[in-house]
Amino acid sequence: MDFSKALIAIDGSPHSEHALEVGLALARKLGAEVGLVTVVDPAPAVTLEAGAPSVDILTMLRQEAVQCLEKARAAAAGLRVSTHQREGAPAPEILHAATQWGASIIVVGSHGRTGLSRLFMGSTAENVARHADVPVLVTRLAGAKG
Ligand code: AMP
């Protein structure tokens, strides 16, 4: 079984920071290449603004995504890393990134920025786990509410 390419999905939440930590540890153990993916989701901004999101909000979200990827890239020092910034609904975009990049495993947090704490896992994590063609590692942040 091939685990040479680990795609780690990050959204800037403490849960995904934990997923990053676990994913990087795994990649170091396996000598795997790392892909970091973050998805800018314009949908919440659209709801907030009752229409198309203003350029300012999207620009801000895109800048946040760049920072999120750069911070994660720094944490992955010493590993072979590529970053993937996408736009759209998070789960399908993570899955597309996995296919396009040729991921052999996907790492996600059990919850994220939007996940409801009462749920066993958030909808992005669940949809990725349900639909991925490769194994999915769902990490849980011990002691976290949600
Ligand atoms: P959720 O299911 O939205 O609560 O998020 C669970 C996990 O999915 C997070 O910890 C991340 O690993 C991943 N995730 C959620 N949203 C995004 C996003 N916009 N970009 C990349 N990864 C995400």
Side-chain angles (χ1 to χ4, degrees):
M1 188 147 302
D2 169 37
F3 289 120
S4 59
K5 292 181 94 176
L7 184 72
I8 309 172
I10 49 174
D11 66 356
S13 68
H15 299 277
S16 88
E17 273 179 25
H18 182 62
L20 175 67
E21 215 175 288
V22 173
L24 293 179
L26 190 70
R28 288 187 206 283
K29 280 246 188 275
L30 300 175
E33 187 179 340
V34 168
L36 301 167
V37 60
T38 194
V39 183
V40 173
D41 181 4
V46 172
T47 313
L48 270 179
E49 300 210 337
S54 75
V55 175
D56 283 353
I57 291 190
L58 265 183
T59 305
M60 201 186 75
L61 292 173
R62 287 177 184 138
Q63 282 169 351
E64 266 180 32
V66 170
Q67 283 165 7
C68 185
L69 286 173
E70 283 318 305
K71 195 175 154 201
R73 185 197 276 283
L79 289 165
R80 204 167 144 211
V81 184
S82 60
T83 56
H84 309 261
Q85 185 172 332
R86 304 183 67 103
E87 233 160 273
E93 290 303 325
I94 292 166
L95 291 166
H96 284 148
T99 305
Q100 279 176 5
W101 184 63
S104 42
I105 183 167
I106 305 172
V107 185
V108 292
S110 61
H111 296 81
R113 299 218 284 205
T114 54
L116 293 176
S117 56
R118 64 186 164 75
L119 297 177
F120 171 60
M121 67 173 96
S123 66
T124 307
E126 183 177 342
N127 277 311
V128 169
R130 266 187 206 281
H131 300 293
D133 294 327
V134 295
V136 177
L137 175 61
V138 181
T139 63
R140 193 177 140 67
L141 181 55
K145 291 190 177 166

